[in-house]
Amino acid sequence: MKTLQSVLIKPAGPDCNMACRYCFYLEKAELFPQTKIHRMSLKTLKQTVKQVMRQGEDQISFGWQGGEPTLMGREFFERAFNYQRIFARPGQKVSNGFQTNGILIDGDWARLFKEYNVLVGLSLDGPMEIHDRYRLLRGNKPSWDRIMKARDTLLDRGVEVNALSVVTNYSVRFPERIYNFHKENGLNFMQFIPCVETDPLDNTRAADYTVDPDAFGDFLCSIFDLWISDFKDGRPTTSIRYFESVLATYLGMNPGQCTLMKECGVYLVIEHNGDVYSCDFFVEPKWKLGNVSEGRLSDMLNSDRQNTFGKIKGELPTQCLTCPWLKHCRGGCPKDRIFSTASPPMNYLSPAYKKFLKHADPAFKKLAGEWMQSKNQTTRN
């Protein structure tokens, strides 16, 4: 039986104050035609937080995402964090992650995040010309200056910030520039998300901003080499979530990142109206599990529908099942199994992961060996 460890909440649903060309979530507004503006009610917020705290593990994680969650206003999140305190069990620990485009971030938001120790994911694709290629305001206006102002505001007030960069057909050409840009601007925690989307007018082909698999493989190899070269005294000075998750697979540990797990469905997504879905990338009627006002989250997590969803991860073509990198890849995210004639379909990014893992394998084995040796020495002492 699965236990509730984390939830991803979208309090403003698909609503956003930007118009990024590659965004996949704006179209989800079609699921909620009753109103043009989508906002979670305080009643739904209270019910959601209460269920998560009462049914969750001793360490529970909340992710706040969108759309753009800052559209809810600070008071909404002050209530959310207060509900976490009210409904927490004795000794229960809670963490909050907040993904934002940064447009509305000011000193008051930063103080709130600092007070409640919130990890902020700031969507920033890199230097100005790279970021403004696709991350645009309405009217095709650039957004980079405003995001950099948000970065300054957050870091100046001691907020922990993670740079989230989408890797597109354009940005994939500049791994060193993007990595060094983040480092030079105090963003030593980084995530790189490959953009894989179908053409809006023809779902049999990739959108023009989708990253090329071979190029993404090269990108990962370059970023990895930069990451390794920045180690000091055997320890990383920058944090790359994907690399750390892959390293966990070499150590036989839980990788944390769901794309590297054997099964999907380890967390739940809760929309603004309380509807619960299997995954952020599968917010669609087929994978709707219920509503927080009508059922228990733990029951939805262990429902037949969620278990069926989880098993999709293991439905892989022979090429994957016989691949020497399977235990470090697990076929990638099922959302990327597109443009494939194999049955079951192959992950579009499979060539990238093969190229990267072959390149990084010696270093990962060395790091894993050093970690185990250090752990054994600590145990003996």
Coordinates of all heavy atoms in Angstrom, one line a residue, residues 237-317:
T237 N 29.7 21.6 -5.8 CA 29.4 22.9 -5.4 C 28.2 23.5 -6.0 O 27.7 24.6 -5.7 CB 30.6 23.9 -5.8 OG1 30.8 23.8 -7.2 CG2 31.9 23.4 -5.1
T238 N 27.6 22.7 -7.0 CA 26.3 23.1 -7.6 C 25.5 21.8 -7.5 O 26.0 20.7 -7.4 CB 26.4 23.5 -9.1 OG1 27.0 22.4 -9.8 CG2 27.3 24.8 -9.2
S239 N 24.2 22.0 -7.5 CA 23.2 20.9 -7.4 C 22.4 20.8 -8.7 O 21.7 21.8 -9.1 CB 22.3 21.2 -6.2 OG 21.2 20.2 -6.2
I240 N 22.5 19.7 -9.3 CA 21.7 19.4 -10.5 C 20.8 18.2 -10.2 O 21.3 17.1 -9.9 CB 22.6 19.0 -11.7 CG1 23.7 20.0 -11.9 CG2 21.7 18.9 -13.0 CD1 23.3 21.3 -12.5
R241 N 19.5 18.4 -10.1 CA 18.6 17.4 -9.5 C 18.7 16.1 -10.3 O 18.7 15.0 -9.7 CB 17.2 18.0 -9.5 CG 16.2 17.0 -8.9 CD 14.8 17.4 -9.1 NE 13.9 16.5 -8.4 CZ 12.6 16.3 -8.7 NH1 12.1 17.0 -9.7 NH2 11.9 15.5 -8.1
Y242 N 18.7 16.2 -11.6 CA 18.7 15.0 -12.4 C 19.9 14.1 -12.1 O 19.8 12.9 -12.0 CB 18.6 15.3 -13.9 CG 18.7 14.1 -14.8 CD1 17.8 13.1 -14.8 CD2 19.8 14.0 -15.7 CE1 17.9 11.9 -15.6 CE2 19.9 12.9 -16.5 CZ 19.0 11.9 -16.5 OH 19.1 10.8 -17.3
F243 N 21.1 14.8 -12.1 CA 22.3 14.0 -11.8 C 22.3 13.4 -10.5 O 22.7 12.2 -10.3 CB 23.5 14.9 -12.0 CG 23.7 15.5 -13.3 CD1 24.5 16.7 -13.5 CD2 23.1 14.9 -14.4 CE1 24.6 17.2 -14.8 CE2 23.3 15.5 -15.7 CZ 24.1 16.7 -15.9
E244 N 21.8 14.1 -9.5 CA 21.8 13.5 -8.1 C 20.8 12.3 -8.1 O 21.0 11.4 -7.3 CB 21.4 14.6 -7.1 CG 22.4 15.7 -7.0 CD 22.0 17.0 -6.3 OE1 20.7 17.0 -6.0 OE2 22.8 17.9 -6.1
S245 N 19.7 12.4 -8.8 CA 18.8 11.3 -8.9 C 19.3 10.1 -9.6 O 19.1 9.0 -9.1 CB 17.5 11.8 -9.6 OG 16.9 12.9 -8.9
V246 N 20.1 10.3 -10.6 CA 20.7 9.2 -11.3 C 21.8 8.6 -10.4 O 21.9 7.3 -10.3 CB 21.4 9.6 -12.6 CG1 22.2 8.5 -13.2 CG2 20.3 10.1 -13.6
L247 N 22.5 9.4 -9.7 CA 23.5 8.8 -8.7 C 22.9 7.9 -7.7 O 23.4 6.9 -7.3 CB 24.3 10.0 -8.1 CG 25.3 9.6 -7.0 CD1 26.4 8.7 -7.6 CD2 25.9 10.8 -6.4
A248 N 21.7 8.3 -7.3 CA 20.9 7.5 -6.3 C 20.7 6.1 -6.9 O 20.7 5.1 -6.1 CB 19.6 8.1 -5.9
T249 N 20.4 6.0 -8.2 CA 20.2 4.6 -8.8 C 21.5 3.8 -8.8 O 21.4 2.6 -8.7 CB 19.7 4.8 -10.2 OG1 20.7 5.3 -11.1 CG2 18.5 5.7 -10.3
Y250 N 22.6 4.4 -8.8 CA 23.9 3.7 -8.7 C 24.1 3.2 -7.3 O 24.9 2.3 -7.1 CB 25.1 4.6 -9.2 CG 25.3 4.6 -10.7 CD1 24.5 5.5 -11.5 CD2 26.2 3.9 -11.3 CE1 24.6 5.5 -12.8 CE2 26.4 3.9 -12.7 CZ 25.6 4.7 -13.4 OH 25.8 4.8 -14.8
L251 N 23.5 3.9 -6.3 CA 23.7 3.5 -4.9 C 22.6 2.6 -4.4 O 22.5 2.2 -3.3 CB 23.7 4.8 -4.1 CG 24.9 5.7 -4.3 CD1 24.7 7.1 -3.7 CD2 26.2 5.0 -3.7
G252 N 21.6 2.3 -5.3 CA 20.5 1.4 -5.0 C 19.5 2.1 -4.1 O 18.8 1.5 -3.3
M253 N 19.5 3.4 -4.1 CA 18.6 4.2 -3.3 C 17.4 4.7 -4.1 O 17.4 4.7 -5.4 CB 19.4 5.4 -2.7 CG 20.5 5.0 -1.8 SD 21.7 6.4 -1.5 CE 20.6 7.5 -0.6
N254 N 16.4 5.2 -3.4 CA 15.2 5.8 -4.1 C 15.7 7.1 -4.8 O 16.2 8.0 -4.2 CB 14.2 6.1 -3.1 CG 12.9 6.7 -3.7 OD1 12.9 7.3 -4.8 ND2 11.8 6.4 -3.0
P255 N 15.5 7.2 -6.1 CA 16.0 8.3 -6.8 C 15.3 9.6 -6.6 O 15.8 10.7 -6.9 CB 15.9 8.0 -8.3 CG 14.8 7.0 -8.3 CD 14.9 6.2 -7.0
G256 N 14.1 9.6 -6.0 CA 13.4 10.8 -5.7 C 12.6 11.3 -6.9 O 11.4 11.6 -6.8
Q257 N 13.3 11.4 -8.0 CA 12.7 11.9 -9.2 C 11.8 10.8 -9.8 O 12.3 9.7 -10.2 CB 13.7 12.4 -10.2 CG 13.2 13.1 -11.4 CD 14.3 13.8 -12.2 OE1 15.2 14.4 -11.6 NE2 14.2 13.8 -13.5
C258 N 10.5 11.1 -10.0 CA 9.6 10.0 -10.4 C 9.9 9.4 -11.8 O 9.6 8.2 -12.0 CB 8.1 10.5 -10.4 SG 7.8 12.0 -11.5
T259 N 10.5 10.2 -12.7 CA 10.8 9.6 -14.0 C 11.8 8.5 -14.0 O 12.0 7.7 -14.9 CB 11.4 10.8 -14.9 OG1 12.6 11.3 -14.3 CG2 10.4 11.9 -15.1
L260 N 12.6 8.4 -12.8 CA 13.6 7.3 -12.7 C 13.1 6.1 -11.9 O 13.8 5.2 -11.6 CB 14.9 7.9 -12.1 CG 15.5 9.0 -12.9 CD1 16.8 9.5 -12.2 CD2 15.8 8.6 -14.3
M261 N 11.8 6.2 -11.4 CA 11.3 5.1 -10.6 C 10.7 4.0 -11.5 O 10.4 4.2 -12.7 CB 10.2 5.7 -9.7 CG 10.7 6.6 -8.6 SD 9.4 7.2 -7.6 CE 10.3 8.3 -6.5
K262 N 10.5 2.8 -10.9 CA 9.9 1.7 -11.6 C 8.5 1.9 -12.0 O 8.0 1.4 -13.0 CB 10.1 0.4 -10.8 CG 11.5 -0.1 -10.7 CD 11.5 -1.4 -9.9 CE 13.0 -1.9 -9.8 NZ 13.0 -3.3 -9.1
E263 N 7.8 2.6 -11.1 CA 6.3 2.9 -11.3 C 6.0 4.4 -11.2 O 6.7 5.1 -10.5 CB 5.5 2.1 -10.4 CG 5.4 0.6 -10.6 CD 4.3 0.0 -9.9 OE1 3.5 0.7 -9.2 OE2 4.2 -1.3 -9.9
C264 N 5.0 4.8 -11.9 CA 4.5 6.2 -11.8 C 3.4 6.2 -10.7 O 3.2 5.1 -10.0 CB 3.9 6.7 -13.1 SG 5.0 7.0 -14.4
G265 N 2.8 7.3 -10.5 CA 1.7 7.4 -9.5 C 2.1 7.4 -8.1 O 1.3 7.0 -7.2
V266 N 3.2 8.0 -7.8 CA 3.7 8.0 -6.4 C 3.3 9.3 -5.7 O 3.5 9.5 -4.5 CB 5.2 7.9 -6.3 CG1 5.7 6.6 -6.8 CG2 5.9 9.0 -7.1
Y267 N 2.6 10.2 -6.4 CA 2.1 11.5 -5.8 C 0.8 11.8 -6.5 O 0.4 11.1 -7.4 CB 3.1 12.6 -6.0 CG 3.2 13.2 -7.4 CD1 2.5 14.4 -7.7 CD2 3.9 12.6 -8.4 CE1 2.6 14.9 -9.0 CE2 4.0 13.1 -9.7 CZ 3.3 14.2 -10.0 OH 3.4 14.8 -11.3
L268 N 0.1 12.8 -6.0 CA -1.2 13.2 -6.5 C -1.1 14.7 -6.9 O -0.4 15.5 -6.3 CB -2.3 13.0 -5.5 CG -2.6 11.6 -5.0 CD1 -3.6 11.6 -3.8 CD2 -3.1 10.7 -6.1
V269 N -1.9 15.1 -7.9 CA -2.1 16.4 -8.4 C -3.5 16.9 -8.0 O -4.5 16.2 -8.3 CB -1.9 16.6 -9.9 CG1 -2.2 18.0 -10.3 CG2 -0.5 16.2 -10.3
I270 N -3.6 18.1 -7.4 CA -4.9 18.6 -7.0 C -5.1 19.9 -7.6 O -4.3 20.9 -7.5 CB -4.9 18.8 -5.4 CG1 -4.6 17.4 -4.7 CG2 -6.3 19.3 -5.0 CD1 -4.4 17.5 -3.3
E271 N -6.2 20.0 -8.5 CA -6.5 21.2 -9.2 C -7.2 22.2 -8.3 O -7.6 21.9 -7.2 CB -7.3 20.9 -10.4 CG -6.6 20.9 -11.7 CD -6.2 22.4 -12.1 OE1 -6.8 23.3 -11.5 OE2 -5.4 22.6 -13.0
H272 N -7.5 23.4 -8.8 CA -8.0 24.5 -8.1 C -9.4 24.2 -7.5 O -9.8 24.7 -6.4 CB -8.1 25.7 -9.0 CG -9.2 25.6 -10.0 ND1 -9.0 24.8 -11.1 CD2 -10.4 26.2 -10.1 CE1 -10.1 24.9 -11.9 NE2 -11.0 25.7 -11.3
N273 N -10.2 23.3 -8.2 CA -11.6 23.0 -7.7 C -11.6 21.7 -6.8 O -12.7 21.2 -6.5 CB -12.5 22.8 -8.9 CG -12.0 21.7 -9.8 OD1 -11.0 21.1 -9.6 ND2 -12.9 21.3 -10.8
G274 N -10.4 21.2 -6.5 CA -10.4 20.0 -5.7 C -10.3 18.7 -6.4 O -10.1 17.6 -5.8
D275 N -10.4 18.7 -7.7 CA -10.3 17.5 -8.5 C -8.8 17.0 -8.4 O -7.9 17.7 -8.4 CB -10.5 17.8 -10.0 CG -12.0 18.0 -10.3 OD1 -12.9 17.7 -9.4 OD2 -12.4 18.4 -11.4
V276 N -8.8 15.7 -8.3 CA -7.5 15.0 -8.1 C -7.1 14.1 -9.3 O -8.0 13.4 -9.8 CB -7.5 14.1 -6.8 CG1 -6.2 13.4 -6.6 CG2 -8.0 14.9 -5.6
Y277 N -5.9 14.3 -9.7 CA -5.4 13.6 -10.9 C -4.1 12.8 -10.6 O -3.5 13.0 -9.6 CB -5.1 14.6 -12.1 CG -6.4 15.2 -12.6 CD1 -6.8 16.4 -12.0 CD2 -7.1 14.7 -13.6 CE1 -7.9 17.1 -12.4 CE2 -8.2 15.4 -14.1 CZ -8.6 16.5 -13.5 OH -9.8 17.2 -14.0
S278 N -3.8 11.8 -11.5 CA -2.7 10.9 -11.4 C -1.4 11.6 -11.5 O -0.4 11.2 -10.8 CB -2.8 9.8 -12.4 OG -3.9 9.0 -12.2
C279 N -1.2 12.6 -12.3 CA 0.1 13.2 -12.6 C -0.1 14.6 -13.2 O -1.1 14.8 -13.9 CB 0.9 12.2 -13.5 SG 2.4 12.9 -14.2
D280 N 0.9 15.4 -13.0 CA 0.9 16.7 -13.6 C 0.8 16.7 -15.1 O 0.2 17.6 -15.7 CB 2.2 17.4 -13.2 CG 2.3 18.9 -13.7 OD1 1.3 19.5 -13.8 OD2 3.4 19.4 -13.9
F281 N 1.4 15.7 -15.8 CA 1.4 15.7 -17.2 C 0.2 14.9 -17.7 O 0.0 14.7 -18.9 CB 2.7 15.0 -17.7 CG 3.9 15.9 -17.5 CD1 4.8 15.5 -16.5 CD2 4.1 17.0 -18.2 CE1 5.9 16.3 -16.3 CE2 5.2 17.8 -18.0 CZ 6.1 17.4 -17.0
F282 N -0.7 14.4 -16.8 CA -1.8 13.6 -17.3 C -3.1 14.1 -16.6 O -3.9 13.4 -16.1 CB -1.6 12.1 -17.0 CG -0.6 11.5 -17.8 CD1 0.8 11.5 -17.4 CD2 -0.9 10.9 -19.0 CE1 1.7 11.0 -18.2 CE2 0.1 10.3 -19.8 CZ 1.4 10.4 -19.5
V283 N -3.2 15.5 -16.5 CA -4.4 16.1 -16.0 C -5.4 16.0 -17.1 O -5.5 16.9 -18.0 CB -4.2 17.5 -15.5 CG1 -5.5 18.2 -15.1 CG2 -3.2 17.5 -14.3
E284 N -6.2 15.0 -17.2 CA -7.2 14.7 -18.2 C -8.2 13.8 -17.7 O -8.0 13.1 -16.7 CB -6.5 14.1 -19.5 CG -5.7 12.9 -19.1 CD -4.7 12.5 -20.3 OE1 -3.9 13.3 -20.7 OE2 -4.9 11.3 -20.8
P285 N -9.4 13.8 -18.3 CA -10.5 13.0 -17.7 C -10.2 11.5 -17.4 O -10.7 11.0 -16.4 CB -11.6 13.2 -18.8 CG -11.3 14.5 -19.4 CD -9.8 14.6 -19.4
K286 N -9.4 10.9 -18.3 CA -9.1 9.5 -18.1 C -8.4 9.2 -16.8 O -8.6 8.2 -16.2 CB -8.2 9.1 -19.2 CG -7.8 7.6 -19.2 CD -7.0 7.2 -20.4 CE -6.6 5.7 -20.3 NZ -5.7 5.3 -21.4
W287 N -7.7 10.2 -16.3 CA -6.9 10.0 -15.1 C -7.3 10.8 -13.9 O -6.6 11.1 -13.0 CB -5.4 10.2 -15.3 CG -4.9 9.2 -16.4 CD1 -4.4 9.5 -17.6 CD2 -4.8 7.8 -16.3 NE1 -4.1 8.4 -18.3 CE2 -4.3 7.3 -17.5 CE3 -5.1 6.9 -15.3 CZ2 -4.1 6.0 -17.8 CZ3 -5.0 5.5 -15.5 CH2 -4.4 5.1 -16.8
K288 N -8.6 11.2 -13.9 CA -9.2 11.9 -12.8 C -9.6 10.8 -11.7 O -10.2 9.9 -12.0 CB -10.4 12.7 -13.2 CG -11.1 13.4 -12.0 CD -12.3 14.2 -12.4 CE -13.0 14.8 -11.2 NZ -14.3 15.5 -11.6
L289 N -9.1 11.1 -10.5 CA -9.3 10.1 -9.4 C -10.4 10.4 -8.5 O -10.9 9.5 -7.7 CB -8.0 10.0 -8.6 CG -6.7 9.6 -9.4 CD1 -5.5 9.7 -8.5 CD2 -6.8 8.3 -10.1
G290 N -10.9 11.7 -8.5 CA -11.9 12.1 -7.6 C -11.8 13.5 -7.2 O -11.2 14.3 -7.9
N291 N -12.3 13.9 -6.1 CA -12.3 15.3 -5.6 C -12.1 15.2 -4.1 O -12.6 14.3 -3.4 CB -13.6 16.0 -5.9 CG -13.5 17.5 -5.6 OD1 -13.6 17.9 -4.5 ND2 -13.4 18.3 -6.7
V292 N -11.3 16.2 -3.6 CA -11.0 16.2 -2.1 C -12.3 16.3 -1.3 O -12.3 15.9 -0.1 CB -10.0 17.3 -1.8 CG1 -8.7 17.1 -2.4 CG2 -10.6 18.7 -2.1
S293 N -13.3 16.9 -1.8 CA -14.6 17.0 -1.0 C -15.4 15.8 -1.0 O -16.4 15.7 -0.3 CB -15.4 18.2 -1.6 OG -15.9 17.9 -2.9
E294 N -15.0 14.8 -1.8 CA -15.8 13.6 -2.0 C -15.1 12.3 -1.5 O -15.8 11.2 -1.5 CB -16.3 13.4 -3.4 CG -17.1 14.6 -3.9 CD -17.3 14.6 -5.4 OE1 -16.7 13.7 -6.1 OE2 -18.0 15.5 -6.0
G295 N -13.9 12.3 -1.3 CA -13.1 11.1 -0.9 C -11.8 11.4 -0.3 O -11.4 12.6 -0.1
R296 N -11.2 10.3 0.2 CA -9.9 10.4 0.9 C -8.7 10.4 -0.1 O -8.7 9.5 -1.0 CB -9.7 9.3 1.9 CG -10.9 9.4 3.0 CD -10.7 8.2 4.0 NE -9.6 8.5 5.0 CZ -8.5 7.9 5.0 NH1 -8.2 7.0 4.1 NH2 -7.6 8.2 5.9
L297 N -7.7 11.2 0.1 CA -6.6 11.2 -0.8 C -5.8 9.9 -0.8 O -5.4 9.4 -1.8 CB -5.7 12.4 -0.5 CG -6.2 13.8 -0.7 CD1 -5.2 14.8 -0.2 CD2 -6.4 14.0 -2.2
S298 N -5.7 9.3 0.4 CA -5.0 8.0 0.5 C -5.7 6.9 -0.3 O -5.0 6.1 -0.8 CB -4.8 7.7 2.0 OG -6.0 7.5 2.6
D299 N -7.0 7.0 -0.3 CA -7.7 6.0 -1.1 C -7.5 6.2 -2.6 O -7.4 5.2 -3.3 CB -9.2 6.1 -0.7 CG -9.6 5.6 0.7 OD1 -8.7 4.9 1.3 OD2 -10.6 6.0 1.2
M300 N -7.5 7.5 -3.0 CA -7.3 7.8 -4.4 C -5.9 7.3 -4.8 O -5.7 6.8 -5.9 CB -7.5 9.2 -4.7 CG -8.9 9.7 -4.4 SD -9.0 11.5 -4.7 CE -10.4 11.9 -3.6
L301 N -4.9 7.5 -3.9 CA -3.5 7.1 -4.2 C -3.4 5.6 -4.4 O -2.6 5.2 -5.2 CB -2.6 7.6 -3.1 CG -1.1 7.3 -3.3 CD1 -0.5 8.1 -4.4 CD2 -0.3 7.6 -2.0
N302 N -4.3 4.9 -3.8 CA -4.2 3.4 -3.8 C -5.4 2.8 -4.6 O -5.6 1.6 -4.6 CB -4.2 2.8 -2.4 CG -2.9 3.1 -1.7 OD1 -1.9 2.4 -1.9 ND2 -2.9 4.0 -0.8
S303 N -6.1 3.7 -5.4 CA -7.2 3.2 -6.2 C -6.8 2.4 -7.4 O -5.6 2.4 -7.8 CB -8.0 4.4 -6.7 OG -7.2 5.2 -7.6
D304 N -7.7 1.6 -7.9 CA -7.4 0.8 -9.1 C -6.9 1.7 -10.3 O -6.0 1.3 -11.0 CB -8.6 0.0 -9.5 CG -9.0 -1.1 -8.5 OD1 -8.1 -1.5 -7.7 OD2 -10.1 -1.6 -8.6
R305 N -7.5 2.8 -10.4 CA -7.2 3.7 -11.5 C -5.7 4.2 -11.4 O -4.9 4.2 -12.3 CB -8.1 4.9 -11.6 CG -7.8 5.8 -12.8 CD -8.9 6.8 -13.0 NE -10.1 6.1 -13.5 CZ -11.2 6.7 -13.9 NH1 -11.3 8.1 -13.9 NH2 -12.3 6.1 -14.3
Q306 N -5.3 4.6 -10.2 CA -4.0 5.1 -9.9 C -3.0 3.9 -10.1 O -1.9 4.1 -10.6 CB -3.9 5.7 -8.6 CG -2.5 6.4 -8.3 CD -2.3 7.6 -9.1 OE1 -2.9 7.9 -10.1 NE2 -1.3 8.4 -8.7
N307 N -3.3 2.8 -9.6 CA -2.4 1.6 -9.8 C -2.3 1.3 -11.3 O -1.2 0.9 -11.7 CB -3.0 0.4 -9.0 CG -2.9 0.6 -7.5 OD1 -2.0 1.3 -7.0 ND2 -3.7 -0.1 -6.7
T308 N -3.3 1.4 -12.0 CA -3.2 1.1 -13.5 C -2.3 2.2 -14.1 O -1.5 1.8 -15.0 CB -4.6 1.2 -14.1 OG1 -5.5 0.2 -13.6 CG2 -4.5 1.0 -15.6
F309 N -2.5 3.4 -13.7 CA -1.6 4.5 -14.2 C -0.1 4.2 -13.9 O 0.7 4.3 -14.7 CB -2.0 5.8 -13.6 CG -1.1 6.9 -14.0 CD1 -1.2 7.5 -15.2 CD2 -0.1 7.4 -13.1 CE1 -0.3 8.6 -15.6 CE2 0.7 8.4 -13.5 CZ 0.6 9.0 -14.7
G310 N 0.1 3.7 -12.7 CA 1.5 3.5 -12.2 C 2.2 2.4 -13.1 O 3.4 2.5 -13.3
K311 N 1.4 1.4 -13.5 CA 2.0 0.3 -14.3 C 2.4 0.7 -15.7 O 3.1 -0.1 -16.3 CB 1.0 -0.9 -14.3 CG 0.8 -1.5 -12.9 CD -0.3 -2.6 -12.9 CE -0.5 -3.1 -11.5 NZ -1.6 -4.1 -11.5
I312 N 1.9 1.8 -16.2 CA 2.2 2.3 -17.5 C 3.8 2.4 -17.6 O 4.3 2.1 -18.7 CB 1.6 3.6 -17.9 CG1 0.1 3.4 -17.9 CG2 2.1 4.2 -19.1 CD1 -0.7 4.7 -18.1
K313 N 4.4 2.8 -16.6 CA 5.9 3.0 -16.5 C 6.6 1.8 -17.0 O 7.6 1.9 -17.7 CB 6.3 3.4 -15.1 CG 7.7 4.0 -15.0 CD 7.8 5.4 -15.5 CE 9.0 6.1 -15.0 NZ 10.2 5.5 -15.5
G314 N 6.1 0.6 -16.6 CA 6.8 -0.7 -16.9 C 6.5 -1.2 -18.3 O 7.1 -2.3 -18.7
E315 N 5.6 -0.6 -19.0 CA 5.2 -1.1 -20.3 C 6.2 -0.5 -21.4 O 6.0 0.5 -21.9 CB 3.8 -0.7 -20.7 CG 2.7 -1.3 -19.7 CD 1.4 -0.8 -20.0 OE1 1.2 0.1 -20.8 OE2 0.4 -1.2 -19.3
L316 N 7.3 -1.3 -21.6 CA 8.4 -0.8 -22.4 C 8.7 -1.7 -23.6 O 8.4 -3.0 -23.5 CB 9.7 -0.7 -21.5 CG 9.6 0.3 -20.4 CD1 10.8 0.1 -19.5 CD2 9.6 1.7 -20.9
P317 N 9.2 -1.2 -24.7 CA 9.5 -2.1 -25.8 C 10.8 -2.9 -25.5 O 11.5 -2.6 -24.5 CB 9.8 -1.1 -26.9 CG 10.2 0.2 -26.2 CD 9.4 0.2 -24.9

